[in-house]
Amino acid sequence: MFHDPELVPFQPPERYSLFRQLSNYVESFPRSTYEEPYTRVKLPIGEALFVCDPDAIEDMLVRRAGLFVRDRATRRTLSRVLDPRGLFLAEGADWRWQRRAVTPAFRHESVVGFVPAFAEAAATQVAAWREVEPGTPIDIFAAVSRLTFDVVAKVLLGSPATLDADRFSEVLTLNMQGLPWEFLYAMLRLPSFLPYPGRRTMRSTTAYLQHEAAKVVAARRERPSDANDLLGLLLSARDPETGRAMSDAELTANAYTFIVAGHDTSSVAISWTLWLLAKDQATQDRVRDEVSSVAGDAAISRDHVDRFVVTKRVLQESMRLFPPAPILSRQAQEDTSLGPHKVTRATRIVVPIWSLHRHRELWPDPHGFDPDRFNPEQVKARPRFAHMPFGGGARVCIGASFAVLEMTTIIASLVRAFRFRPVPGLRPRPKAEITLRPDANLRLSITPV
Ligand code: HEM
C-alpha cells in the first residue's frame, strides 16, 4: 500500500453547494457521500439523491435499467457537445438498435486487432521523447492527449485526410469550457438562449467539430475503403434484427461521439496512471519488470497484453482513485423507490463515482494506492458495483475493451522505455470538465532506461 498526501487532492465539503459544482463538480460531492450509502440534497429546483450503495446501483443500472434514463440536466448539457442522435444520448428504441448494430465492432475479439496500431502510436511517442534532454519535465496530459487522438483518428476513422488533429483537439478543449455553465442553466431550468461567458465560443466550436465529423463520413462515402477501422465497421453495421443500416446523420453523430468519448477519457486515465507510478517507484519497477519479462524489446502484441497482469491491475487501481468519468446520473421515468428512498421523476439520482471509489465502507484504506486490490480474491470479495469506471448494465461503456487494450499497450510501452519521476513542487489537481482532467501541474521528468 502506497500513501501520499497528494492522493487526496482536496477535502470534501460538509454540504453540497451549486457554486462548487460550477467550479469543479467532484469537489461538490459532500463528505457523507464517502461515508454513507445515501445522501439526499435539496437543489434550487428539486432534489438530488447521491447513491453509494452498490446493490442499489446494480438495481438501477441492471435489474431495472428500463425504468431509469439519463437525467434531463445531463442530457440537455451534453447535447450541446454531442449530437443527440448518437449512441451516447439516444434513448429507447433508437438507442437499442444503434447499440445492437455497433456492439459487434466493439467486442473484445474485434478490438484486439487494433493492438498493433496502439503499439505503433506508442512507439512514435517513445521515439519523440528519446530526443528530449533526460530529466526534462514533460506536460504528460498534453502529450498523451495528442497520442490518443492520433489513435482514435487512425483506428476509428482510418486517418482521414480532412481531419486536422491539432486544430480539432484545440477546439474540443475550448468547447468543453462552456459545459459547467450549460449544466448550471440546465439545473436552474433557465432558457438556453441566455448568455454566459464563452457561450458564443461554445456554439461555434460545436458547429465546427460536428462539421469536421460530417466531412470525415462524406469523404469515406466518396472513397469507400476496406480498411479495418471502426468507421468501416459502422458503415457496414446492420441491426441484427431488422437489417437496417445507419443514415449519414447517425454515422456522423457516432463518429463524433467516438472521437469525443474515446480520446479524452483514455488520455486522462493514462496521465493519472503515469503520475501514480512516478510517485510509487516500487510499483513502477514492478510494471517495467513485467513488461520486459513478457515482451522483451519486441513490439507489444495482443498476446503480451493478455499477460500484463500487474499493468492492468495498476490501471484499475488508478481508475479507482482518479476515475476518468467521475459521475453518472439518472432519473426515474415514474415515481418509484431506490433502496430505502422514494424517488420521483424530478429526483436527480447521482452516482458520484469519485466518492464511491473512495468510500470508507467499501475500501479499506480508501486513499492508498494498492494495485493488489484487483487480484481475483479481493475482487470477488467486493460488491461488483463498488468499482465502476466504465459504468455498468445496459449502458455500460461500449468502448471499455478498446480502452483497456489501448491504455495497457500505451502504459506498457512508455514505462518500458522511460523512468517517470515527479517534478518537485508541482502538485496536480483533478478538474472535472466532462472527464477528470489533470491541470497543467501534471508534469513528470522522464529519463530513458
Ligand atoms: C478510460 C476510458 C473510458 C472510460 C472511463 C469511459 C467511461 C464511460 C462511462 C462511465 C460510461 C457510462 C455513462 C452512463 O452510464 O451514464 C460510458 C459510456 C459510453 N462510452 Fe465510454 N469510457 C471510456 C472509453 C470509451 C471509448 C474508447 C469509447 C469509444 C471509442 C467510448 C464510448 C462510449 C459510448 C458510446 C458510451 C455510451 C454507451 C451507451 O449509452 O450505450 N468510451 N463510458
Side-chain angles (χ1 to χ4, degrees), residues 276-288:
L276 285 162
L277 291 175
K279 288 257 157 206
D280 179 1
Q281 291 286 319
T283 302
Q284 186 178 150
D285 288 337
R286 274 177 77 194
V287 171
R288 188 170 300 111

Side-chain angles (χ1 to χ4, degrees), residues 402-447:
F402 178 98
V404 169
L405 285 168
E406 178 197 21
M407 295 186 296
T408 310
T409 306
I410 292 176
I411 292 164
S413 308
L414 299 179
V415 171
R416 176 172 64 179
F418 300 97
R419 177 164 298 282
F420 292 85
R421 288 196 185 82
V423 176
L426 291 187
R427 184 175 179 156
R429 278 174 78 82
K431 180 147 177 14
E433 291 186 342
I434 295 187
T435 56
L436 195 68
R437 286 181 163 203
D439 66 10
N441 282 338
L442 209 161
R443 286 172 194 275
L444 299 176
S445 87
I446 58 168
T447 317

